[in-house]
Amino acid sequence: MLPVCDHYCGVEARMRKSLALQAELAEEFGAVVFDVTLDCEDGAPAGGEAEHAALVASIALGAAPSARVAARVHPVDHPAFAADVHTIVGQAGARLRHLMIPKVESVTDVARAVAAVDAAGGQNLPLHCLIESPLAVRNAFEIAAHPRVQSLSFGLMDFVSAHGGAIPDSAMTVQGQFEHPLVLRAKLEISAACHAHGKTPAHCVVTEFKNADALGAAARKAARELGYTRMWSIHPDQIRPILRAYAPEQHDIERAAALIEAAEQAQWAPISHQGVLHDRASYRYYWQVLERAFRTGKTLPASVQGHFIHHQPDPELI
């Protein structure tokens, strides 16, 4: 179960503060509610890529055992890619939850990344891929199908600029990104590709990070209308609004818990609950509501808490 928020940071002080904040919120919510991804692509100064990769590896190695820490390396065709992977995966691969590969265009890029990661000793390390161009959107289903790919993210800014001015810059705003047909189509394709192959779709950043209301509205729209189950954060103030937007409402949590409790008592056979027929298809849906509640730090009803404290869903349901 991936947390619903993936927080990106590339400056040393912010990377360390983000990990501290992760531990603080984990204590508050009783679960790690966001990932911290240490960024090489946008964080490394030109000419300082090797030093920055070494810093990322060092910070990852120094993170608390319970921390969820990841890294974003340079694209596979960047001169620093191989060195990034060799340093970060080679030194800290066992501590990483995933490796983000930006500007993935095709499954060939995924295979190239897998070969480099495996050569560095990261054979079990999941990959996340950033979809940032029309060609990548075209290939999203093939990319999502790769067994090492765990999640696809949408890169709004690069996607718009990849169109050579054919898409106006208004499509990069918090409102315009949900209105321009090509951008909206790309988001839907990525979400559909992920759901087709059981992977996690991650929504792009909102750059207007000081506007909490706009961020919350964008997060809710991505979650409730476009099928995204995860979202990027680029500022600590964005984390809590994302958690709120992706969390189920309390009445939905209580309804899901009551139905799962009734289904469990019936040994997962079909039941009539409050006058409505339910079977394993709806049980899966309501179980996923409870999973999402757990991942966003919501308090679960006592009847289902035991399933999530040990992170072990009922095998009969799954």
Side-chain angles (χ1 to χ4, degrees), residues 4 64 94 113 116 124 139 142 191 196 199 201 208 218 235 245 255 261 264 292 298:
V4 301
N124 297 317
N139 293 328
E142 292 181 3
S191 177
K199 310 301 172 69
E208 296 93 331
H235 190 280
R255 181 169 64 246
E261 183 179 13
E264 194 169 20
R292 193 165 70 252
K298 302 285 282 189

Side-chain angles (χ1 to χ4, degrees), residues 6 14 26 71 94 162 195 254 285:
D6 191 7
R14 293 174 185 169
H195 290 297
E254 293 170 0
Y285 172 83

Side-chain angles (χ1 to χ4, degrees), residues 190-232:
I190 292 167
S191 177
C194 285
H195 290 297
H197 295 289
K199 310 301 172 69
T200 299
H203 194 260
C204 59
V205 300
V206 169
T207 55
E208 296 93 331
F209 60 86
K210 292 186 177 181
N211 189 338
D213 291 339
L215 170 66
R220 286 190 297 273
K221 193 174 186 70
R224 300 176 188 181
E225 298 181 22
L226 305 185
Y228 281 81
T229 56
R230 183 168 160 99
M231 186 168 177
W232 284 35

Side-chain angles (χ1 to χ4, degrees), residues 140-163:
F141 279 80
E142 292 181 3
I143 295 169
H146 195 286
R148 285 288 289 279
V149 172
Q150 187 180 53
S151 174
L152 299 185
S153 294
F154 178 53
L156 172 65
M157 316 297 276
D158 281 279
F159 180 80
V160 171
S161 63
H163 285 75

Side-chain angles (χ1 to χ4, degrees), residues 87-207:
T87 298
I88 297 170
V89 177
Q91 295 181 18
R95 297 303 313 280
L96 298 178
R97 296 303 181 117
H98 66 265
L99 196 71
M100 168 59 76
I101 312 297
K103 295 180 174 58
V104 170
E105 294 282 288
S106 68
V107 73
T108 301
D109 289 343
V110 178
R112 183 174 173 182
V114 168
V117 170
D118 287 357
Q123 289 85 353
N124 297 317
L125 186 61
L127 301 184
H128 292 196
C129 298
L130 190 51
I131 305 300
E132 305 180 74
S133 72
L135 179 60
V137 171
R138 162 64 180 79
N139 293 328
F141 279 80
E142 292 181 3
I143 295 169
H146 195 286
R148 285 288 289 279
V149 172
Q150 187 180 53
S151 174
L152 299 185
S153 294
F154 178 53
L156 172 65
M157 316 297 276
D158 281 279
F159 180 80
V160 171
S161 63
H163 285 75
I167 299 178
D169 61 357
S170 60
M172 293 187 285
T173 65
V174 66
Q175 181 175 348
Q177 65 178 285
F178 292 100
E179 296 176 346
H180 194 282
L182 285 176
V183 175
L184 187 59
R185 172 180 170 270
K187 291 186 181 189
L188 290 170
E189 286 291 303
I190 292 167
S191 177
C194 285
H195 290 297
H197 295 289
K199 310 301 172 69
T200 299
H203 194 260
C204 59
V205 300
V206 169
T207 55

Side-chain angles (χ1 to χ4, degrees), residues 247-258 285-286 289-290 292:
E249 299 293 341
Q250 190 60 39
H251 61 84
D252 291 329
I253 297 171
E254 293 170 0
R255 181 169 64 246
Y285 172 83
Y286 288 108
V289 170
L290 297 176
R292 193 165 70 252

